[in-house]
Amino acid sequence: MRSVRYHPDARAEFLHEVEYYSRLSARLSERFDRAVLAAEAQAAETPELWPKYKHKTRRIVDRKFKFSLV
């Protein structure tokens, strides 16, 4: 399984979104966090499953929370 790394700007954006959702609802924030963790696991376990993206990367798009993981 591959590892998942975050660019510092992406990590800051993730933390900002967690804070945003937590202001709306603790449950919503938890659901967002679980969605990101699930996308990370899917990307690490089966990277070739996801559509090709820029610069030889692949991308997972979460339609519920409207984020993508590259």
Side-chain angles (χ1 to χ4, degrees), residues 1-4 38-48 50 60 69:
M1 179 168 33
R2 295 178 184 225
S3 64
V4 175
E40 287 176 4
Q42 291 171 347
E45 290 173 16
T46 56
E48 65 285 341
W50 306 103
I60 296 175
L69 227 101

Side-chain angles (χ1 to χ4, degrees), residues 2 5 7 51-59 70:
R2 295 178 184 225
R5 297 176 308 215
H7 183 279
K52 292 181 180 180
Y53 194 56
K54 300 174 185 176
H55 309 290
K56 298 181 182 180
T57 62
R58 296 194 179 249
R59 179 171 78 160
V70 178

Side-chain angles (χ1 to χ4, degrees), residues 17-63:
E17 292 299 306
V18 168
E19 185 179 319
Y20 167 76
Y21 285 119
S22 68
R23 284 194 304 260
L24 297 176
S25 161
R27 276 184 89 173
L28 190 58
S29 178
E30 291 170 12
R31 286 179 28 214
F32 173 73
D33 188 46
R34 282 195 304 265
V36 172
L37 290 173
E40 287 176 4
Q42 291 171 347
E45 290 173 16
T46 56
E48 65 285 341
L49 183 66
W50 306 103
K52 292 181 180 180
Y53 194 56
K54 300 174 185 176
H55 309 290
K56 298 181 182 180
T57 62
R58 296 194 179 249
R59 179 171 78 160
I60 296 175
V61 177
D62 182 279
R63 301 213 186 282

